[in-house]
Amino acid sequence: MPQVVRSRIAVLQGAHPAAPLPRSFRSLADRAAVEVLHRAARVLVASLPVLTDRLVEALYEQEPGYRAAIDSDRAEVWQEVHHSLRHNVGSLIQPREFRDAAHRTSRWIGEIRAEQGVPLDAVLHAFRMGGAMVWQDLVDETARRDPDDVRLLVHVAADVWNFVDEHCGIVADAYRQAERRLSWRRENQQRLMVAALLDGTARIADVCEAAAMLGLPEQGRYAVLAVASAPGGPQQQDPARPPLNLPAALSPGEGLSTAPGAAPSLEPGGRPQDAPSTAPAPLWHTGPDAAFAILRLTGGPGDPGELHAIADALDAPAGTRAGIGSAVDGLAALGDARRLAETALRACPASGGTVVLDEHLPDALVVSSPALGSALADRVLGPLDRLDPSDRDVILETLTAWLDADGSAQRAGARLYCHRNTVLNRLRRFEQLTGRCLTRPRDAVEVSLALAARRLLGA
């Protein structure tokens, strides 16, 4: 509750008044004002319970921010108000004895109200209401005893409100410090919870609490995005902040209200630029090799295009690798979603790009078992290594182009700027060297996987 009056005792003990009046006149007026103040304050001390009742009732009627706290535990609020008033009014009579206790009380009130979520404006308003009520009671009591003494209180009026402002500053500082501590604690708890969900170490019993803490539905559909720099490429100054522009579709749970075509820039732990504060931002977690974002999906299980649309809308700088794992159901499955995203990331070209796992499952098979992928590449493509490197590369390039063209020598030739017969001749030579038949489905699958292993694993 508000601290109310700072006594002029300090002035009487040696401080010189700033007013250009004769010192003797000011000193006598100050001394008389203090005596009047002390008399009125002693009466207030004797009636503190009644004053507390009035102030608590006034807070309930005039300050909406306090109503919930009073409804929840009126006795606790009453004790807080009484404790504050006791030190405040005591400061009128014995400022030296009560000053430190009054400061501690104001700091305690600021901290406890921050923890309870009472708005700071409401707390400051309550302090000023208390200051006004105490001051009015001092004036009323003085007027009752001797109306002529009321004029003397003018000499301490400025000190009353300076004192109230001083303690409002103490309360505001304590409130903001507590708010920062609470924010740090809350963010740290969120980081730990996100890390546990993505690591798959969160207990099933904690998933409901995680959903409430993170503002996500427990049974929603999710995917995970993994982001990393290309191997050997320029490293980011801050690996926890991947330079990636994520589209509004990235967090479509409640939707990011952005202008059509706008792609809000997001950073781990941050909100989209120029997006409303109510819009949910993707939750990030930074690992040693990649950063992960939890994507909340709104499409049904039969909507594979949602992840593809997100991938198309990503604006990643050159050299950035991004992998989007398959969709999973429920927060409890985010550990699986992270592992799928890591697999998609490993399937990204070394030069950078974005891979949606569902669209690159054969590549995912290869990178999921590097040893087997390398063995397959050696078995299928090993005979080509006996050729001159330039000759070998031509055959591999032609084979890749032919597979990408769905087995069309005509389209492969157009892509390679050569005649279709040249393509067919190179393919026959490949079959002769490797003993594989490209028209045989099993051989075609093995060749395709072997090429993927050589491209992704350097086998």
Side-chain angles (χ1 to χ4, degrees):
M1 287 290 65
Q3 319 303 323
V4 287
V5 178
R6 181 176 56 193
S7 172
R8 299 283 293 199
I9 291 296
V11 175
L12 300 177
Q13 291 179 342
H16 294 283
L21 297 176
R23 186 189 311 171
S24 60
F25 179 82
R26 289 289 296 169
S27 296
L28 289 174
D30 288 340
R31 184 175 295 110
V34 169
E35 291 174 357
V36 169
L37 194 61
H38 283 182
R39 285 197 300 269
R42 292 188 185 98
V43 175
L44 262 64
V45 169
S47 60
L48 274 183
V50 176
L51 178 60
T52 302
D53 288 339
R54 289 168 49 216
L55 185 50
V56 171
E57 190 60 33
L59 286 174
Y60 189 84
E61 293 177 356
Q62 301 176 35
E63 180 44 67
Y66 266 73
R67 287 175 189 164
I70 296 174
D71 283 335
S72 174
D73 195 339
R74 178 179 285 263
E76 180 184 0
V77 176
W78 193 97
Q79 289 294 338
E80 173 192 305
V81 173
H82 185 268
H83 189 68
S84 180
L85 287 174
R86 181 164 56 86
H87 288 96
N88 297 339
V89 179
S91 296
L92 302 177
I93 305 169
Q94 297 175 300
R96 291 183 178 177
E97 288 78 357
F98 282 89
R99 184 177 186 275
D100 289 343
H103 284 188
R104 287 194 300 270
T105 300
S106 295
R107 283 193 293 269
W108 174 75
I109 292 173
E111 292 173 356
I112 199 69
R113 290 302 172 214
E115 293 175 359
Q116 293 173 346
V118 177
L120 177 58
D121 288 346
V123 181
L124 297 178
H125 183 211
F127 265 70
R128 294 189 177 98
M129 285 176 61
M133 185 172 289
V134 168
W135 173 250
Q136 187 61 51
D137 280 9
L138 291 171
V139 173
D140 291 345
E141 174 60 25
T142 301
R144 186 186 66 80
R145 293 177 61 90
D146 189 346
D148 291 339
D149 286 346
V150 172
R151 60 184 176 81
L152 291 174
L153 292 180
V154 172
H155 295 280
V156 295
D159 293 310
V160 169
W161 296 108
N162 287 340
F163 195 64
V164 171
D165 288 341
E166 175 188 351
H167 280 265
C168 283
I170 292 172
V171 169
D173 182 64
Y175 186 101
R176 294 188 181 102
Q177 289 184 18
E179 201 171 37
R180 285 193 292 270
R181 289 195 300 270
L182 291 170
S183 177
W184 179 87
R185 188 183 310 158
R186 183 166 52 250
E187 291 174 359
N188 191 52
Q189 289 174 341
Q190 289 180 347
R191 281 194 294 269
L192 293 174
M193 186 62 72
V194 169
L197 289 171
L198 290 172
D199 290 342
T201 57
R203 299 179 303 175
I204 296 298
D206 294 334
V207 174
C208 182
E209 178 186 353
M213 180 188 299
L214 303 177
L216 297 172
E218 184 178 350
Q219 299 303 326
R221 292 183 67 249
Y222 298 95
V224 171
L225 165 70
V227 182
S229 297
Q235 297 298 311
Q236 303 163 25
Q237 293 182 352
D238 185 355
R241 297 177 176 269
L244 192 66
N245 287 330
L246 304 182
L250 190 84
S251 53
E254 296 179 13
L256 294 182
S257 298
T258 57
S265 176
L266 287 181
E267 294 176 337
R271 286 194 173 275
Q273 296 174 0
D274 303 325
S277 60
T278 56
L283 297 171
W284 286 91
H285 170 69
T286 303
D289 301 316
F292 302 93
I294 298 175
L295 313 182
R296 180 180 170 188
L297 307 177
T298 56
D303 183 15
E306 186 173 8
L307 296 177
H308 181 72
I310 293 175
D312 286 344
L314 290 179
D315 181 14
T320 299
R321 298 161 57 237
I324 301 178
S326 303
V328 298
D329 293 321
L331 286 176
L334 281 178
D336 294 332
R338 179 191 62 84
R339 286 185 284 274
L340 293 171
E342 287 179 324
T343 301
L345 187 63
R346 289 196 298 270
C348 284
S351 58
T354 301
V355 167
V356 178
L357 183 64
D358 289 349
E359 299 173 358
H360 295 80
L361 292 177
D363 291 351
L365 288 174
V366 170
V367 298
S368 295
S369 182
L372 291 179
S374 297
L376 179 63
D378 288 340
R379 180 177 178 181
V380 175
L381 304 177
L384 300 181
D385 292 335
R386 293 192 291 267
L387 300 176
D388 183 85
S390 60
D391 194 14
R392 176 200 62 203
D393 292 344
V394 167
I395 293 178
L396 290 176
E397 182 184 22
T398 302
L399 185 60
T400 301
W402 180 76
L403 289 171
D404 290 342
D406 297 326
S408 170
Q410 184 73 33
R411 292 200 300 273
R415 182 176 301 181
L416 297 172
Y417 302 102
C418 64
H419 195 274
R420 64 180 299 275
N421 290 339
T422 303
V423 172
L424 294 174
N425 288 334
R426 292 172 181 172
L427 295 179
R428 278 194 292 269
R429 188 178 181 202
F430 169 80
E431 290 178 329
Q432 293 169 357
L433 291 170
T434 62
R436 305 285 167 168
C437 177
L438 294 175
T439 58
R440 187 182 302 132
R442 179 170 178 173
D443 285 357
V445 169
E446 289 185 352
V447 169
S448 178
L449 291 176
L451 288 171
R454 178 155 292 194
R455 182 182 76 255
L456 297 171
L457 304 174

